[in-house]
Amino acid sequence: MTKKMILTLLLCSVLALGLCSCNSTKKEQTNRIESSYTVTEIENVSASIENLSPTGATIVITDKNEEPYTYGEWYQIEKEENGKWIELETIIDDYGFNEIGYLVDDHHQVKFVIDWEWLYGKLSDGNYRILKQVGQQYIAIPFGIATAT
């Protein structure tokens, strides 16, 4: 073999390995984990969902406590399967949320515009809930995705 052929084969091998590893940042949805979060009702705190789509929504938390909680950007999405809540796997391995505290406004509300496509991808039809942390507890905001066929 000539040096040119060896270099060509080496280059092809490197390119093939690079192409194979391009999908390594995506996880397959095969490991179904039942929810590890305990959801509670929290006095004077309620939540709703607006502007819902398969790729995002606006979460509105109303906190009428005299000393309201501080809210962060963290969220978790779970899907209902066979009567159980299953944690959705992320499509990327390395991610995080900003550790910033949001306070309620003069209307006792805080709004989060969430685009979850970067973390979970586009959601398929089904029943879901999004979890938000309130102090050391978690609340759940249920929602459904139904696309026209």
Side-chain angles (χ1 to χ4, degrees):
M1 267 192 198
T2 66
K3 288 183 182 180
K4 197 174 203 178
M5 288 179 75
I6 293 172
L7 286 173
T8 302
L9 285 173
L10 184 60
L11 181 60
C12 288
S13 298
V14 169
L15 286 174
L17 286 173
L19 290 174
C20 291
S21 65
C22 285
N23 290 329
S24 66
T25 58
K26 292 190 175 188
K27 291 183 181 179
E28 290 188 29
Q29 296 287 331
T30 55
N31 297 328
R32 303 286 187 207
I33 300 171
E34 194 169 337
S35 179
S36 59
Y37 296 94
T38 301
V39 174
T40 59
E41 288 189 32
I42 301 171
E43 190 173 346
N44 299 319
V45 175
S46 61
S48 61
I49 194 163
E50 300 175 347
N51 307 315
L52 179 63
S53 79
T55 59
T58 300
I59 303 300
V60 181
I61 299 175
T62 303
D63 184 338
K64 294 189 177 182
N65 286 295
E66 191 172 313
E67 291 187 34
Y69 291 93
T70 301
Y71 298 89
E73 291 185 354
W74 177 90
Y75 64 89
Q76 167 80 36
I77 297 180
E78 299 177 337
K79 186 174 185 180
E80 186 178 24
E81 293 182 6
N82 300 319
K84 296 180 180 180
W85 290 105
I86 305 299
E87 295 179 11
L88 288 187
E89 288 189 50
T90 58
I91 59 173
I92 57 175
D93 290 324
D94 297 320
Y95 68 92
F97 295 94
N98 292 323
E99 290 291 326
I100 187 168
Y102 295 95
L103 300 174
V104 297
D105 61 17
D106 291 339
H107 302 288
H108 306 283
Q109 293 184 332
V110 61
K111 294 183 180 185
F112 296 94
V113 177
I114 300 173
D115 176 1
W116 57 66
E117 189 171 22
W118 69 275
L119 187 58
Y120 295 106
K122 184 176 179 181
L123 300 183
S124 60
D125 290 359
N127 293 319
Y128 295 87
R129 68 182 185 179
I130 189 165
L131 303 177
K132 289 292 290 174
Q133 189 170 5
V134 181
Q136 300 300 314
Q137 303 171 77
Y138 299 92
I139 60 171
I141 304 101
F143 64 96
I145 298 291
T147 54
T149 55

